[in-house]
Amino acid sequence: AILNNSSIKCWGRGDEGQMAHGKTSDRLSPPTSTTDIGTGQTATAITAGNFHNCAILDNSSVKCWGYNASGQLGLGHTNNRGDGSNQMGDNLLVVELGAGRTARGITAGDNQTCAILDNASIKCWGANAFGQLGLGDTVNRGDNSSDMGDNLTTVDLGTGITAKAIQAGNDHTCAILDNASIKCWGYNASGQLGL
């Protein structure tokens, strides 16, 4: 939850560091302390995936913590964050979105994360076995140091088309576009892409 002072509190299952309290224990109720996202930093948006969380900070950067086996934290490796000491706060790196790029929207799916950038394009990272990153392949992104930043390509929404909103599900992602249409990509065994 984002509180009225723009700080974050997390509770629930914590075995992968998603509670961000330096342990792998669960939190059964809201904690008394807030999640440390960095000195003087506050949150404007937050999203919860299967075992990871991400927030847009007040400077429009993104930080993610929790489970990271597929690179869904966007840190260029597969180490969990938030389950050990000294992993949060100023030690938790921001997600590299590209030179001069910031986030204005964020969503976390099962093991993938997508952001709408300040130019209304979309970048996604993490698990991609079903094409849920929208990049035309099934290669994970964010689990290697060369995957992020300017090397992470944007989702091709079509010529001149931009995104207004985005939502990730279990191995699929959908976006509302600037022309009020919807495009979805990824896993479709139950028809969740609406195609």
Side-chain angles (χ1 to χ4, degrees), residues 4-33:
N4 59 354
N5 64 0
S6 299
S7 65
I8 297 174
K9 286 190 178 185
C10 298
W11 59 96
R13 186 173 174 174
D15 58 331
E16 303 293 347
Q18 61 268 46
M19 293 303 102
H21 58 87
K23 304 173 189 171
T24 56
S25 58
D26 298 345
R27 282 187 166 165
L28 302 181
S29 62
T32 56
S33 62

Side-chain angles (χ1 to χ4, degrees), residues 5-185:
N5 64 0
S6 299
S7 65
I8 297 174
K9 286 190 178 185
C10 298
W11 59 96
R13 186 173 174 174
D15 58 331
E16 303 293 347
Q18 61 268 46
M19 293 303 102
H21 58 87
K23 304 173 189 171
T24 56
S25 58
D26 298 345
R27 282 187 166 165
L28 302 181
S29 62
T32 56
S33 62
T34 58
T35 301
D36 185 0
I37 55 175
T39 304
Q41 297 282 248
T42 58
T44 60
I46 191 167
T47 185
N50 195 20
F51 296 110
H52 74 290
N53 300 305
C54 295
I56 298 178
L57 307 185
D58 56 335
N59 63 1
S60 299
S61 66
V62 172
K63 286 191 175 185
C64 300
W65 60 93
Y67 188 60
N68 194 32
S70 301
Q72 58 266 49
L73 302 186
L75 299 175
H77 57 69
T78 57
N79 301 322
N80 294 355
R81 286 290 178 258
D83 60 352
S85 60
N86 299 317
Q87 293 182 350
M88 294 299 294
D90 295 335
N91 293 323
L92 183 63
L93 299 177
V94 298
V95 176
E96 293 296 330
L97 299 173
R101 295 277 69 99
T102 58
R104 63 177 187 148
I106 190 132
T107 185
D110 187 26
N111 290 304
Q112 83 269 22
T113 307
C114 295
I116 297 178
L117 305 184
D118 56 301
N119 63 0
S121 66
I122 294 174
K123 285 192 174 185
C124 299
W125 57 92
N128 196 30
F130 302 101
Q132 61 265 45
L133 302 186
L135 300 175
D137 59 35
T138 57
V139 177
N140 291 357
R141 302 297 197 294
D143 57 354
N144 187 299
S145 60
S146 63
D147 287 348
M148 299 302 293
D150 291 330
N151 292 329
L152 183 62
T153 58
T154 58
V155 176
D156 183 0
L157 299 173
T159 304
I161 302 295
T162 59
K164 292 177 67 175
I166 192 162
Q167 185 64 49
N170 187 15
D171 301 324
H172 72 289
T173 308
C174 293
I176 298 175
L177 307 180
D178 61 344
N179 61 7
S181 66
I182 297 173
K183 285 190 177 181
C184 299
W185 52 92

